[in-house]
Structure formats: structure tokens, C-alpha cells
Amino acid sequence: MYDVVIGIEIHVELKSKMKAFSSSLNKFVLEPNKNISFYDLAYPGCKPKLNKEVVEMALKASLQFNCFINKKMYFERKCYFYPDLPKGYQITQNETPIGYNGYLKIDEERKIAIERIHIEEDTAKSIHKDDGTYLDFNRAGVPLIEIVTKPVIKSAEEAMLYVTKVQETLLYLGISDVKIEEGSMRCDVNISLKEKDSEVLGQKVEIKNIGSISNIGESINYEIKRQTEILNKGAKVYNETRRYDDKIKETILLRRKDELTDYRFHPEVNLPLVILSDDYIEKVRSDLPIMPSALRDKYIKLGLNNNNIKTIISNYSLCCFFETVILKTDPLLAANLLTSEVLTYLNKEKREIKDIKLTSANFIQLIDALTEGVISSKQVKDVILILMHDGGDVFKIIDELGLKQISDDKFIFDIIDKVISNNEQSVLDYKSGQTRAFKFLMGQIMKETKGQINPEKTKELLEKRLS
Amino acid sequence: MIKDLNNYITINKPLNEKGINKFIAVKDNIVTKGLKTTCFSKMLNDFLPLYNAPIITSLINEGFIIVGKTKMKEFNIGEGVNACADVVFNGDVLASITTDIGGESLNSSLVALRPTYGLLCREGLISCADSLEQIGIISRTIKDNAMLLQVVTGHNYSPFSFELKDKKIVILGDGYQENKLIKKLETEGIEIRYLSFDSQKISLIQQIILAVEASSNLSKFDGIRYGYRSENFNDVLSLYKNTRSEGFGLEVKKMILLGTYLTKRENINIYYKALKLRQELVNTLNDIFEDCDYIFNTGGPFLVSLTGHPIISVTGFQIMANYYKEENLYKLGYYLEQLGSDNNV
């Protein structure tokens, strides 16, 4: 009955070393008001200073989202009064967003048009409690980029896919942790309904405080239902800001927006005009890191299975680690090990791969030891646990644990002969066609040596003996 | 030692008079650690800065001592009250660090330099209008002034050797007609041109820019994080309203209201027009300085807060030079000083 028209605004915290316009370190500190500078508090006399790294990160995003770049850009003051806005204005970009008119490919057929990407500073955090509202200025001045789509998204599914792709892209650009639960990525959805195939847009409603990607889909579907009911009755949809309540699965009215708010934009005179030269833009463009879609193609060509590809790409730091070892050792074995033993350990310990003692070097050593038959795949599991926990040299560990796999022909034949002589019935069974007997004999041999002989070699030699 | 206490908002601890050559006063809109900085406003009545403006730090590091913070117009808005000049004139201090928006710090009986915009670090200056206001130095002699500028910039501006011949001078405004020095220069064959600007228009441009910038520069004063906070409030809105109504004086409130009005979406084009005219003025002055060394302002409009050129007042003259040519201003200033004060307008 109605066409759904959706636009999404995403605020992304950039993980630059310092904040956008002040010299505070841009790091997350739990204890309130422990990471603040005079500027973050809008102390009298403080002037903003533009952080070059922030511009570079915003440029990377703009280029990756295929935007036109505003080579001459300036900053403006967006004025309003609220306790979490210390200066009484936010420094942002209004007339000259760093990127505009871009797009993001979300699958083979669909591109989402990007209206603009601009740089701004974050506000402080308001924490509402029973006895009042508390202000934490740790977040004040944190650099943000705001990514705004054109109103071209048509469904909950498309919206969720878009946000997922944005997350993946920004993660792989290395400019943000994009964790919705932690607040380093915040999505606001604007949604309206219009008569089917009509050119006239309906009244849009803004949905804020969406806590996860699935909540994006849920809130959109709820709004479609709510607005449809209103329009079917012949009533009007109001210009509102609503929030999504995950417990009752509904959007709740926050405030009515009666008229367009006038933020009295005017230039931030303390920041000069920023000019991005063609050379600089090209240099940043040529240094853009490889994106998931290209990585996917690369891994498919290498022969990785789809599950492993999905797992590795969805874990950015794991993927970065994988990239450091991929050319130097067997990629399939590396992928298997990373997505099983390593990932399990990381999840259990709640750590990132950069925080554990496993290094690219000893990981490569381990895989090489496996491919050369020095240790068995079962033994790899023991060794990697030690590597992740304590680090160290693979061969030293193998020696210390006495794990070195035996591949010596004579030694193996001795064991084989011993087992054969103790299991004559099994030998006869095998020779009369019962293949199960072979497995039994193998099992006995492995038991004799506590799994320390090279199984492939053993199989080969056992077959020789039995023929 | 201090001639008139009324010139000060805050006096530093008692000082040994022997150090008078190192005494300075600072206008009360530049932050000084441990010394109240109030901008002569109820809003910052008891505000004690936790850091020094960098310019103050360089002076303290060279052994200068702040005698006190001088009186000013609230947030530098309104007609000029220049206690900064008086304390130098009175001999309380060697020099004072002042700020200037419309030429109010240029005093006819002293040496006052308003340097090129951008020469001095403005961090720590509590400005009502960042693009117009600049930090300046008031002293009794050129030598003292240049010495202080050296302390804060690291550049050496002496010696002041100066040759009058071959200099080209532009005279701005009508006040030159009775001036003996100008007549003398003309007879010595110095090339002099006369120019005029539309004073009213320039004044209007400055007023518009000042109002717009003040309306947002002063919005941080809300009683939430520091400064004056009203006792009459029961919610956020009344906290803001009452704090700002009670904390600001009338002139400041009028300026904020004007600026708020001008920055409304439907009015902002006026401000952008003013910016355009400002740029045209900059271009005009740049053209003039292509072919002249000094502009003497004898009663003409005050241009440099719009263009950022340096200006010095010495022996009653206000003289401008091209960007970063403070050295040339000191040279001519020293020459005029030596000629004696019978050349005053």
C-alpha cells in the first residue's frame, strides 16, 4: 500500500590519537571526568586546534565511500544550549562536508547513495539518575564523522545490510572500532511512508537510541506498522523524535519537532580554511587498505572454505593477523587453526589477538612443523595453547614436552610388527576384506606410542607390511 | 607604588619596588594562573584560572612580574575604558599587555603596538570576537615595547636605524591638515598620497562581525562548569536564563541579542555580506602596501581589526605597516620619538 522511505545517519567515533580540536588523548576512560582538558570543558580562553589525523581518517572514509571531496573546507559553529554541550555550540561542518554525493555497494545489485560525510566533535555524556543528571566530559571533543545517506533505503533488511557494510568498511579502514554497544557507532533512522509510486514524500519520523543492528530492523518494522495504521485511518503522522525500546519492542515518543530548529550556523573563525591538495588526496587514496570484498575474493582463490572466510573477515584483528602469515605458510591450515583453537581461546579469555603471546613468527613455525610432519595435528593443539599463553619457540616447546613425532621407518616397523604379532585375528580379518580391522590395528599402534608416531607414515608402512 | 588602585580589578601580592623594571600589568581578559581573571564581568567574578596564557608564560619565564589585572569594559564590549594605558602612564609598571578591538588601546601619549593578527598566540585570551581582537603591548618607549615583543615572539626587532628618504607614505583621514610633521615630510620630498574610506561602512562591518562572533563566543558562560551561577532556578532552562540574565551586563546582553538576531537563518546573509566587504578591504590594503611603506591614520576609520595589519601609536600618530613588518613600525617610531613630541597632532 505504501512505499517505505528510509534515510540513515551514522555517527562514528574515530580512533585517532588525540581528540578533534584539543590535545587530550582520545582514549576511553571509564572513570568520569578523568580524561579532560581545558578545551573539553570550554574553559575561558581555550581555542580549538585542528587535528590532522582526524582529517586524514575522514578523508579515507570519504574516498572509500566514493564521495566527491571538498578540497577547500571550513568548520562552522552549530549553536544551541544544553548542559552536555560545553561551549554552547558544536564545531562541525555544514556548508562544506569533507565528502559528498558518494555511494556504498551493499551487494551485487544494490548501492546506497551517500549524501555527505562530515567531521565534528562529540558532546559530553549526560547520565540521568534519580537525584539529577550527571555530566561526564571524557567524551567531549572526541572526533566524529557523520555519514548521511540519501533517503533511498527501502526496507528493514536493506537498512541492516547497509549498516553492517558500513561497519565492515570503517573497521577495515582502521579508523574506528564501530561497536554499537560501546557507542563508537550510533545510528539514527529517519523513516516515512508515501503513497505507492507517488513523488510526494510523507512526514518523516526520527528514531534514536538504537542499540544494535537487529534493533534497527525491529524498530523500522514497528514504525512501518505504526505509521501504516495512522495513515490508513486517514490521520497525520507527526514530526517526532522517537526512541526504540528493546524490552517492549516498540518505538516511544521522545519529543515532538514542531518546526525546523535554527542552529544559527556561522563559521568557526579560530580554524582556518583547510585546503586538501590533489597530491595529498591521491596519496591517501593510494594508501587505502584492502577491503573485505577484495579479501573475500583472495581467500576464495586460495581455497579457504566459506565458513572460515566469514569467521576471519568478521574479526578484524584476527584477519589482520591472518594477513601477516598468509604468504609465509599454508593458508588453509592457518585458517583452520585461527578459527578453531585460537578463536576459542580468545573468546574464553575475552582478549584480542594482539593481547596474547602468540606471534606471527611462532604461529608460522608451528604450521611449518605440522606440514613437515614433526608433530601431529593433535599435538598442534597442545603446543598452540602454550604459545598463546606463554609464547616462546615452537621447537623448544616440542622438545620440552617430548612431543616430537617419530617418523623413523625402522622404529615404526618394529611397533607395527609387535602389534601385528599380538593381533593375528585382526590381520586375518583385514585380509579377508574387513577394512575396519585396519583402523583397529592403527589404533593399537598409536596406543603403543601414545600417539607420537606420524600417522600418515604409519598408515603407509602398515599397508606395506600387510600386503 | 601603585598610583590609582581603581585601575585594577586584582592586585598581586605585595611586591618589592626594586623590580619595577620587570613589572607588567595584564588586561583582565587574559588568563593568569593563580590570579583572578574576570573580564570585569559578574559572570567570572571569582574565576581563578588553572593555567597561564602562553604569552604570560613567556613573560614570567623572562622574569617579568604581574602587578595586577587591569580594569576593562565587560568582555571588551562597549566604549573603551583603558586602565591598561593609565597604569603605564602612571608609572606603576614598565608595560601592560592589553587587547584591542577597535583601536581603544592606542593611546596618544604612549607607545602602543597592536601586532599583525596571528603573530602572537591568542590561546588564553577570553575574547568576545576572535577575528577582531588582538593582543597588544603598551609601554612608554619604543625600546621597551620592542624588548617585550622580542620576549614573546623570540624575534629581535632592534636596532632601530632608519632612513626617511625613499619612503612612501599614505595618509588616511582628514586629520593631517594641521600636522607639522606631515608638512615637514612633504617639503623633504617624501612621496605622500591621500586616501579616504567610508568610515560608516567600515564601522558597520565591524559591528556586525563583532555581534555575530560575540553571540557564540559568550554562550559558554552558563553557570554549569565554572563562573557565576544563579541561585534562582528549578530546571535547566531557568538555570541558563537566570544565570545569563544576572551574570551579564546590559551592553553585553545587547550585543549577544544583536548577534543572535543576525545569525538567524533568514538574516545570516547580512553577515556574509560583511565578510565579503571585509575581504575587499583586505585586498585594497594589500594593493596599497604594494606601493607604500606606511599608512598614517589621522582620524580615518580603524581598519586593522578587519584586515589584521600591524599598527603602532607613537608620539600621537597611528601608523600601519604591511603584515609582519613590526620592525618597520619600530624603526619609524624610534625616529619620531627622537624628533620629539612637538610633532603631535
Side-chain angles (χ1 to χ4, degrees):
Chain A
M1 238 212 105
Y2 300 106
D3 286 338
V4 177
V5 177
I6 297 169
I8 297 183
E9 288 168 16
I10 302 180
H11 287 89
V12 178
E13 284 183 11
L14 299 176
K15 54 181 192 186
S16 56
K17 180 148 173 259
M18 310 228 251
K19 290 185 176 178
F21 307 110
S22 78
S23 50
S24 317
L25 285 178
N26 179 18
K27 61 175 185 200
F28 179 75
V29 172
L30 196 59
E31 205 185 332
N33 295 313
K34 283 295 176 188
N35 184 34
I36 50 179
S37 68
F38 294 118
Y39 174 87
D40 302 331
L41 290 175
Y43 216 65
C46 285
K47 316 284 177 212
K49 282 181 276 283
L50 182 58
N51 178 351
K52 185 178 174 187
E53 191 187 2
V54 166
V55 175
E56 189 156 309
M57 288 183 164
L59 179 60
K60 284 184 183 170
S62 303
L63 291 170
Q64 193 62 50
F65 281 66
N66 304 290
C67 292
F68 289 91
I69 304 298
N70 254 318
K71 296 186 203 173
K72 278 193 186 166
M73 60 183 202
Y74 64 97
F75 291 88
E76 294 182 66
R77 296 179 176 180
K78 178 180 181 182
C79 307
Y80 61 96
F81 286 102
Y82 199 70
D84 68 10
L85 191 65
K87 294 188 291 298
Y89 57 86
Q90 177 199 36
I91 298 181
T92 179
Q93 296 182 302
N94 189 34
E95 292 291 316
T96 58
I98 184 168
Y100 62 98
N101 285 354
Y103 64 87
L104 186 70
K105 212 165 158 220
I106 61 174
D107 61 23
E108 282 309 304
E109 290 90 34
R110 292 179 287 186
K111 281 183 190 170
I112 301 295
I114 303 293
E115 172 82 45
R116 51 187 284 139
I117 297 179
H118 69 256
I119 301 168
E120 58 186 28
E121 54 180 357
D122 210 346
T123 62
K125 211 157 166 199
S126 295
I127 300 148
H128 304 289
K129 296 193 186 174
D130 288 331
D131 60 340
T133 299
Y134 290 75
L135 296 170
D136 176 7
F137 289 87
N138 286 341
R139 200 183 75 178
V142 163
L144 301 175
I145 48 171
E146 183 175 342
I147 304 173
V148 182
T149 70
K150 298 198 173 162
V152 296
I153 296 172
K154 299 188 179 63
S155 69
E157 174 266 338
E158 205 163 86
M160 290 192 288
L161 183 55
Y162 166 71
V163 175
T164 307
K165 284 290 165 193
V166 170
Q167 241 182 354
E168 202 180 69
T169 306
L170 295 174
L171 194 59
Y172 277 80
L173 280 177
I175 64 176
S176 174
D177 292 330
V178 283
K179 293 199 176 128
I180 297 184
E181 331 75 63
E182 280 182 12
S184 48
M185 178 160 134
R186 298 163 229 164
C187 302
D188 298 334
V189 171
N190 291 302
I191 173 170
S192 64
L193 303 183
K194 65 177 175 70
E195 295 288 334
K196 218 152 189 54
D197 298 330
S198 161
E199 291 290 310
V200 180
L201 290 177
Q203 173 60 59
K204 71 175 172 182
V205 169
E206 183 186 23
I207 313 170
K208 291 178 97 75
N209 296 357
I210 303 175
S212 67
I213 294 195
S214 58
N215 281 0
I216 291 176
E218 288 162 18
S219 61
I220 286 173
N221 285 329
Y222 179 83
E223 263 306 290
I224 292 172
K225 187 159 144 277
R226 186 186 79 89
Q227 291 187 22
T228 301
E229 279 171 17
I230 292 173
L231 294 172
N232 281 345
K233 276 195 283 202
K236 220 170 53 122
V237 172
Y238 285 107
N239 185 357
E240 294 172 347
T241 297
R242 301 175 73 86
R243 65 171 179 85
Y244 183 66
D245 189 318
D246 187 40
K247 291 191 201 72
I248 61 176
K249 304 289 181 195
E250 290 178 8
T251 63
I252 311 281
L253 174 66
L254 269 179
R255 54 185 175 267
R256 283 268 156 86
K257 296 203 282 202
D258 287 317
E259 52 183 57
L260 221 49
T261 315
D262 187 349
Y263 289 109
R264 299 174 36 235
F265 285 101
H266 54 281
E268 170 54 67
V269 299
N270 285 308
L271 295 175
L273 193 67
V274 179
I275 298 176
L276 304 172
S277 70
D278 288 337
D279 284 345
Y280 175 70
I281 295 172
E282 278 325 299
K283 178 176 178 309
V284 172
R285 191 195 301 271
S286 63
D287 285 343
L288 287 175
I290 186 169
M291 284 291 112
S293 49
L295 283 173
R296 238 171 241 119
D297 293 340
K298 178 166 139 181
Y299 297 162
I300 289 171
K301 282 205 183 78
L302 283 172
L304 264 65
N305 73 55
N306 282 329
N307 275 335
N308 279 355
I309 293 177
K310 190 154 175 250
T311 307
I312 288 174
I313 288 184
S314 66
N315 186 326
Y316 179 60
S317 50
L318 196 72
C319 185
C320 289
F321 185 89
F322 183 59
E323 280 290 301
T324 63
V325 306
I326 198 172
L327 291 174
K328 301 180 185 164
T329 190
D330 185 318
L332 274 74
L333 289 175
N336 280 340
L337 209 50
L338 282 173
T339 57
S340 55
E341 262 66 45
V342 177
L343 198 55
T344 307
Y345 181 81
L346 292 175
N347 288 337
K348 180 162 144 262
E349 302 291 314
K350 293 194 174 38
R351 316 243 312 258
E352 301 253 334
I353 199 163
K354 60 179 167 64
D355 301 324
I356 62 174
K357 295 287 172 66
L358 184 70
T359 65
S360 313
N362 53 29
F363 186 74
I364 291 168
Q365 253 191 339
L366 182 62
I367 308 242
D368 289 348
L370 177 62
T371 52
E372 286 161 23
V374 175
I375 51 173
S376 71
S377 42
K378 181 189 172 300
Q379 291 165 328
V380 162
K381 295 181 185 175
D382 298 326
V383 177
I384 199 165
L385 217 59
I386 297 171
L387 284 181
M388 292 192 288
H389 199 268
D390 303 319
D393 178 85
V394 168
F395 292 103
K396 270 213 189 84
I397 295 171
I398 288 174
D399 277 341
E400 277 164 25
L401 294 182
L403 288 182
K404 203 150 180 196
Q405 239 185 174
I406 302 153
S407 296
D408 180 64
D409 282 14
K410 180 174 181 313
F411 182 86
I412 296 177
F413 270 131
D414 285 346
I415 307 284
I416 288 175
D417 292 338
K418 181 172 172 202
V419 165
I420 284 177
S421 64
N422 289 342
N423 293 279
E424 286 178 6
Q425 186 56 49
S426 298
V427 176
L428 291 171
D429 289 342
Y430 171 71
K431 289 203 169 147
S432 65
Q434 290 191 45
T435 49
R436 246 182 14 209
F438 188 89
K439 282 207 175 85
F440 175 75
L441 287 169
M442 278 292 292
Q444 293 299 101
I445 296 164
M446 298 307 270
K447 212 163 112 182
E448 271 293 317
T449 60
K450 295 191 181 53
Q452 275 189 278
I453 50 173
N454 186 330
E456 284 78 32
K457 201 86 211 283
T458 307
K459 187 163 166 287
E460 186 195 313
L461 296 182
L462 179 59
E463 277 171 359
K464 256 200 199 141
R465 256 301 185 267
L466 293 174
S467 61
Chain B
M1 180 191 70
I2 287 179
K3 198 116 178 236
D4 186 353
L5 284 171
N6 279 324
N7 284 326
Y8 297 88
I9 300 172
T10 308
I11 305 266
N12 205 351
K13 53 190 189 303
L15 303 161
N16 186 340
E17 263 203 54
K18 288 225 180 92
I20 194 152
N21 276 336
K22 288 289 207 180
F23 286 173
I24 55 171
V26 178
K27 189 162 174 175
D28 207 18
N29 59 356
I30 297 175
V31 293
T32 44
K33 185 173 175 181
L35 267 186
K36 266 199 319 176
T37 301
T38 70
C39 298
F40 201 44
S41 176
K42 191 170 171 185
M43 268 300 190
L44 291 176
N45 230 349
D46 289 307
F47 181 67
L48 198 63
L50 296 173
Y51 75 104
N52 273 318
I55 198 175
I56 302 296
T57 303
S58 359
L59 290 164
I60 291 177
N61 285 347
E62 279 295 309
F64 287 91
I65 299 162
I66 302 171
V67 156
K69 307 300 294 295
T70 58
K71 247 187 209 148
M72 48 186 280
K73 207 65 182 167
E74 186 183 0
F75 286 110
N76 220 8
I77 288 170
E79 290 303 301
V81 160
N82 220 4
C84 237
D86 294 338
V87 302
V88 176
F89 187 81
N90 286 349
D92 294 353
V93 293
L94 178 75
S96 56
I97 306 301
T98 184
T99 74
D100 182 273
I101 291 184
E104 66 274 11
S105 69
L106 305 180
N107 183 290
S108 60
S109 48
L110 297 167
V111 175
L113 174 79
R114 188 197 143 120
T116 308
Y117 187 92
L119 180 68
L120 298 181
C121 177
R122 301 177 66 261
E123 178 79 31
L125 160 56
I126 307 172
S127 182
C128 62
D130 283 301
S131 80
L132 298 173
E133 194 163 14
Q134 170 60 303
I135 296 177
I137 302 172
I138 304 177
S139 62
R140 284 182 292 278
T141 67
I142 289 283
K143 244 173 126 190
D144 289 342
N145 207 294
M147 181 265 294
L148 282 155
L149 192 62
Q150 178 170 2
V151 168
V152 297
T153 62
H155 300 136
N156 184 1
Y157 295 94
S158 62
F160 309 120
S161 52
F162 179 74
E163 276 286 331
L164 190 57
K165 88 181 182 86
D166 293 332
K167 294 289 184 283
K168 298 186 183 148
I169 293 174
V170 164
I171 309 250
L172 202 64
D174 298 330
Y176 62 90
Q177 276 146 356
E178 296 308 310
N179 192 282
K180 284 192 275 188
L181 173 69
I182 305 292
K183 291 200 160 70
K184 177 173 180 242
L185 292 176
E186 276 180 313
T187 57
E188 285 191 27
I190 302 299
E191 184 181 316
I192 298 183
R193 282 186 291 144
Y194 297 88
L195 282 180
S196 63
F197 284 89
D198 184 344
S199 282
Q200 259 194 333
K201 194 166 170 191
I202 288 176
S203 201
L204 187 61
I205 294 170
Q206 177 152 312
Q207 195 70 347
I208 290 167
I209 293 173
L210 173 57
V212 164
E213 292 188 21
S215 73
S216 54
N217 264 22
L218 299 177
S219 55
K220 58 173 66 78
F221 300 107
D222 51 22
I224 294 195
R225 298 164 310 288
Y226 51 76
Y228 174 76
R229 183 193 280 193
S230 169
E231 309 212 337
N232 317 312
F233 67 94
N234 48 26
D235 62 7
V236 168
L237 186 60
S238 53
L239 169 65
Y240 273 93
K241 273 176 145 170
N242 295 341
T243 296
R244 290 168 67 81
S245 301
E246 294 160 22
F248 286 131
L250 186 61
E251 289 301 312
V252 172
K253 282 193 269 206
K254 280 175 8 185
M255 192 61 77
I256 293 175
L257 281 173
L258 176 60
T260 305
Y261 175 76
L262 287 172
T263 47
K264 281 162 69 94
R265 204 181 275 124
E266 62 266 26
N267 297 329
I268 195 74
N269 57 304
I270 299 171
Y271 171 69
Y272 282 113
K273 181 85 191 279
L275 290 186
K276 246 197 183 142
L277 292 171
R278 180 181 197 173
Q279 185 60 51
E280 283 174 17
L281 185 62
V282 169
N283 297 343
T284 303
L285 279 198
N286 283 341
D287 287 341
I288 294 174
F289 276 118
E290 291 274 307
D291 197 35
C292 105
D293 301 292
Y294 300 100
I295 298 177
F296 277 56
N297 190 349
T298 56
F302 194 73
L303 302 173
V304 299
S305 51
L306 293 174
T307 66
H309 289 88
I311 190 168
I312 197 166
S313 102
V314 55
T315 66
F317 287 105
Q318 284 189 11
I319 306 164
M320 294 158 57
N322 207 349
Y323 296 123
Y324 300 110
K325 298 291 186 199
E326 283 78 9
E327 197 179 280
N328 292 356
L329 290 177
Y330 284 138
K331 287 181 157 133
L332 175 55
Y334 190 71
Y335 171 84
L336 293 173
E337 236 180 16
Q338 299 310 305
L339 280 185
S341 55
D342 52 77
N343 294 298
N344 283 355
V345 174

